[in-house]
């Protein structure tokens, strides 16, 4: 066990230079804070009347996103402000998850824990895969992922008119696969950006946060649909 762990750690040290490793630590620290902010936001929707998911929370999330993207890094001079924008966006994104979480709780509250654990395992596994892969190995996925994203958007719009269960399921599972692909792509892209001098770990953590929430949301829906189908069969 010890030699395996040692070789695993050495693989990271051999693949990633010290500045890149430090940058990734900052990225994942911001990602952790973002997920915690999202959890707080979801709790606000579920357990209080302070703020509910809807038009205001959606507009607020877009405003924080726009503020973050329009505020330059300036070599860390505006770090606290930009982190605040990131947490604001994450918190309101969590509020937006509220209605879905309410439905999941009515079906089976344990699904939330299962989906969270599953999301974490998938995210960590694909992140490690990206870090240990050859340099730039997964970057070729960029064009394919964007094509898939556009295709899924068209499928979702078409299904508004067709109401097809098959299209809905295909969109759901392909969307999950797409988000896993983005974890691979975004992780390697972040590494390459840092190697090229980009130290903006706040924006980089935003990319991974969107991937994480995308996986979590789809796992919630998949597991809930499965539980509801099983209950219908039993009845």
């Amino acid at each position: 066990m010890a030699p395996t762990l040692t070789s695993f750690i050495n693989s990271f040290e051999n693949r990633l230079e010290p500045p890149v490793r430090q940058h990734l630590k900052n990225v994942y620290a911001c990602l952790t804070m973002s997920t915690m902010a999202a959890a707080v936001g979801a709790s606000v929707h579920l357990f209080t009347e302070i703020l509910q998911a809807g038009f205001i929370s959606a507009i607020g999330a877009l405003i924080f996103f726009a503020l973050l993207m329009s505020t330059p890094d300036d070599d860390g001079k505006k770090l606290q402000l930009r982190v605040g924008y990131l947490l604001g966006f994450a918190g309101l994104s969590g509020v937006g998850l509220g209605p879905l979480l309410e439905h999941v709780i009515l079906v089976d509250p344990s699904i939330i824990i299962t989906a969270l654990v599953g999301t974490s395992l998938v995210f960590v596994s694909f992140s490690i895969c990206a870090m240990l892969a050859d340099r730039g190995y997964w970057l070729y996925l960029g064009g394919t992922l964007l094509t898939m994203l556009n295709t899924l958007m068209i499928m979702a719009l078409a299904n508004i008119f067709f109401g097809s269960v098959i299209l809905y399921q295909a969109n759901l599972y392909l969307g999950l696969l797409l988000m896993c692909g983005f974890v691979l792509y975004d992780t390697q892209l972040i590494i390459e950006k840092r190697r090229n001098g980009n130290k903006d770990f706040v924006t980089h953590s935003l990319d991974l946060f969107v991937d994480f929430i995308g996986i979590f949301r789809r796992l919630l829906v998949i597991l809930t649909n499965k539980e509801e189908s099983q209950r219908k069969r039993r009845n």
Side-chain angles (χ1 to χ4, degrees):
M1 181 67 180
T4 302
L5 180 60
T6 301
S7 61
F8 183 72
I9 294 174
N10 289 336
S11 297
F12 278 101
E13 293 180 349
N14 293 332
R15 293 278 183 180
L16 304 174
E17 308 89 316
V20 175
R21 293 201 300 270
Q22 182 58 49
H23 183 72
L24 289 175
K25 289 179 183 178
N26 293 335
V27 168
Y28 288 114
C30 276
L31 177 60
T32 301
M33 291 190 294
S34 298
T35 54
M36 292 175 63
V40 171
S43 299
V44 168
H45 174 91
L46 292 172
F47 305 117
T48 75
E49 298 295 330
I50 298 174
L51 181 62
Q52 299 292 293
F55 179 77
I56 294 177
S57 62
I59 292 298
L62 288 175
I63 290 173
F64 277 118
F65 178 83
L67 288 171
L68 174 58
M69 300 308 294
S70 62
T71 304
D73 181 48
D74 285 344
D75 293 326
K77 295 177 181 178
K78 298 182 180 179
L79 176 60
Q80 293 182 345
L81 181 62
R82 300 181 78 246
V83 170
Y85 292 151
L86 173 66
L87 297 182
F89 170 77
L92 291 176
S93 297
V95 173
L97 281 173
L100 174 58
L101 293 174
E102 284 180 336
H103 176 68
V104 174
I105 290 172
L106 290 175
V107 175
D108 185 356
S110 67
I111 290 176
I112 296 176
I113 302 300
T114 303
L116 183 60
V117 172
T119 300
S120 300
L121 289 175
V122 169
F123 188 88
V124 170
S125 298
F126 279 91
S127 296
I128 291 175
C129 181
M131 292 178 195
L132 296 182
D134 292 337
R135 182 170 181 176
Y137 183 79
W138 295 109
L139 294 182
Y140 76 92
L141 285 175
T144 303
L145 293 173
L146 289 177
T147 301
M148 283 184 62
L149 180 61
N150 291 331
T151 302
L152 290 178
M153 290 175 63
I154 293 172
M155 287 173 59
L157 289 174
N159 208 32
I160 294 176
F161 302 99
F162 295 114
S164 169
V165 176
I166 295 176
L167 271 179
Y168 171 76
Q169 293 290 340
N171 192 290
L172 189 61
Y173 284 93
L174 287 175
L176 178 60
L177 179 63
L178 178 68
M179 288 296 104
C180 293
F182 268 117
V183 174
L184 288 170
Y185 175 77
D186 287 335
T187 302
Q188 279 214 327
L189 186 61
I190 288 168
I191 292 172
E192 290 305 311
K193 283 182 177 180
R194 178 59 188 88
R195 284 170 173 160
N196 291 327
N198 189 330
K199 301 179 181 180
D200 185 9
F201 59 84
V202 178
T203 301
H204 295 168
S205 67
L206 173 64
D207 295 335
L208 295 182
F209 173 75
V210 172
D211 298 340
F212 187 92
I213 291 296
I215 295 172
F216 179 60
R217 183 188 295 274
R218 286 164 177 79
L219 280 181
L220 279 176
V221 176
I222 290 170
L223 294 174
T224 302
N225 289 345
K226 183 178 179 181
E227 178 64 24
E228 289 177 328
S229 297
Q230 290 176 346
R231 290 187 179 183
K232 287 179 181 179
R233 294 194 194 99
R234 288 195 294 266
N235 295 332

